[in-house]
Amino acid sequence: MTLWQPAPAALWQGRNDLAEADNALRLFQTIRHRTVFKPETDGIALLGFACDEGVKRNHGRPGAQQGPDALRSALANMASHRGHDSLVDLGNIHAEPDALEAAQEALSEAVMACQQAGMRTLVLGGGHETAFGHGRGVLDAWPDARIAIVNIDAHLDLRRADQATSGTPFRQLALHCEQSGRPFHYTCIGVNPAANTQALLDEAERLNVNIIWDTDCQRPEQPQAAAQIAALLEWADKVYLTVDLDALPGWQMPAVSAPAGLGVPLDTVLALLEPLCRSPKLQAVDMVEFNPQYDRDTLGAKVAARLAWHIVHHWNTATQNG
């Protein structure tokens, strides 16, 4: 596959506690690392999208292309509970300079291959341009399914532009759905009204986007948001979840292109995600915009890795119980 490279195996290392017990395991000991791209018939395909060309085009702070491998390193030493051994590291898609569209196409092809083989996909970005490649791969893998797109993000990312950027992925997915004759069902949670122009809000209204504001997500108990999530789970056959880490408060997540002044606290994000992650309808997840160049004492990496660990933990529980 063009633009594909295996992830360095050396990223997966950590503390060995096997002298304590046979099940004293960490992710670096249970991850299945592959040196060729060959989807399996089950499990979660861990893919990286090493790209920040969309961030650059959107006049953001570059550095997110280093995110996938930095997040692998942060995940490696975390405990591996029942189900975490479903993770299969299938490497990275690397974007060449000024070749974002080719990289998005390669990501779509990789995701579609994994989904059609029977795997779910966990993609580590990269800028939020990741979402168009990942989302299109999921949509194309399931052409007859009702797919709900859920974005945890301060920004709607519905910009109109002459070329793809980190600010255009959901408008691109809307156009892809329109061309395919299927519904565009998009929910954005944690939207900062001060960071989205009236033009973006008008576009969201035109596309019938379901918006949950950041001011309505300041406490873990959010009955209105929970009801909206329950409704979309009732409607959907499959769910694609994308998490832009800039939705978190800047003091919890400094390592992004646009740190949030308010944001949605991590405990609230975890509470909102739990019903999604416990649903067998969850088909794909990505985490984007992590930029290790702006991290502080690896705080951002630890927060992002904890969030990814939590998602995988409940995702596997849902699958085993389903």
Side-chain angles (χ1 to χ4, degrees):
M1 176 181 294
T2 60
L3 306 182
W4 181 87
Q5 296 177 13
L11 296 171
W12 295 106
Q13 56 182 305
R15 172 174 169 152
N16 189 334
D17 287 329
L18 285 175
E20 178 183 348
D22 290 343
N23 61 350
L25 294 166
R26 299 178 185 272
L27 283 174
F28 79 93
Q29 294 165 309
T30 60
I31 191 82
R32 288 176 276 166
H33 180 267
R34 299 293 183 253
T35 56
V36 295
F37 181 82
K38 186 177 180 181
E40 302 184 7
T41 56
D42 61 6
I44 299 173
L46 177 65
L47 290 163
F49 189 60
C51 177
D52 56 16
E53 179 61 27
V55 175
K56 293 175 184 176
R57 294 180 183 183
N58 203 31
H59 310 296
R61 303 192 296 183
Q65 64 178 340
Q66 301 167 14
D69 286 353
L71 291 178
R72 283 182 172 94
S73 293
L75 280 164
N77 201 44
M78 290 188 161
S80 181
H81 292 181
R82 185 170 65 99
H84 282 103
D85 57 357
S86 65
L87 280 171
V88 184
D89 190 348
L90 286 180
N92 292 324
I93 303 296
H94 286 265
E96 300 293 337
D98 300 320
L100 169 58
E101 289 77 10
Q104 288 175 318
E105 182 69 30
L107 178 60
S108 289
E109 291 174 358
V111 166
M112 185 165 62
C114 290
Q115 293 276 340
Q116 291 181 334
M119 305 186 81
R120 293 161 291 153
T121 46
L122 173 63
V123 178
L124 304 177
H128 217 163
E129 60 268 30
T130 305
F132 179 55
H134 193 187
R136 183 174 60 177
V138 174
L139 288 164
D140 290 350
W142 304 97
D144 299 321
R146 293 184 297 186
I147 295 179
I149 300 167
V150 182
N151 181 24
I152 309 292
D153 199 344
H155 309 95
L156 290 163
D157 289 343
L158 291 167
R159 291 181 180 273
R160 295 175 179 265
D162 294 335
Q163 57 183 351
T165 76
S166 61
T168 65
F170 300 101
R171 186 167 189 277
Q172 290 176 273
L173 287 173
L175 290 171
H176 186 70
C177 287
E178 181 181 348
Q179 291 163 2
S180 304
R182 64 193 302 172
F184 175 63
H185 195 289
Y186 175 36
T187 297
C188 195
I189 301 172
V191 177
N192 175 3
N196 292 270
T197 65
Q198 188 61 52
L200 289 170
L201 297 177
D202 290 346
E203 183 70 359
E205 184 176 8
R206 185 183 73 82
L207 292 169
N208 200 29
V209 175
N210 183 27
I211 294 175
I212 301 174
W213 304 105
D214 58 359
T215 50
D216 295 327
C217 296
Q218 294 305 304
R219 292 178 299 279
E221 300 79 17
Q222 297 295 333
Q224 183 178 0
Q228 291 171 293
I229 290 170
L232 74 86
L233 283 172
E234 181 69 23
W235 175 85
D237 298 319
K238 308 281 183 185
V239 176
Y240 160 47
L241 169 65
T242 174
V243 181
D244 189 328
L245 293 165
D246 72 16
L248 294 165
W251 56 269
Q252 286 186 324
M253 179 50 64
V256 290
S257 178
L262 178 62
V264 181
L266 181 60
D267 57 348
T268 301
V269 171
L270 293 175
L272 290 171
L273 289 185
E274 188 141 338
L276 291 168
C277 296
R278 288 188 181 277
S279 170
K281 294 181 178 182
L282 184 62
Q283 194 67 31
V285 179
D286 59 50
M287 292 179 54
V288 302
E289 297 284 348
F290 179 69
N291 187 334
Q293 292 187 22
Y294 296 97
D295 210 352
R296 300 173 189 163
D297 299 323
T298 68
L299 170 64
K302 291 173 182 175
V303 169
R306 179 65 178 82
L307 181 55
W309 186 97
H310 183 90
I311 290 170
V312 170
H313 177 70
H314 289 296
W315 203 358
N316 277 305
T317 301
T319 302
Q320 291 158 5
N321 293 341

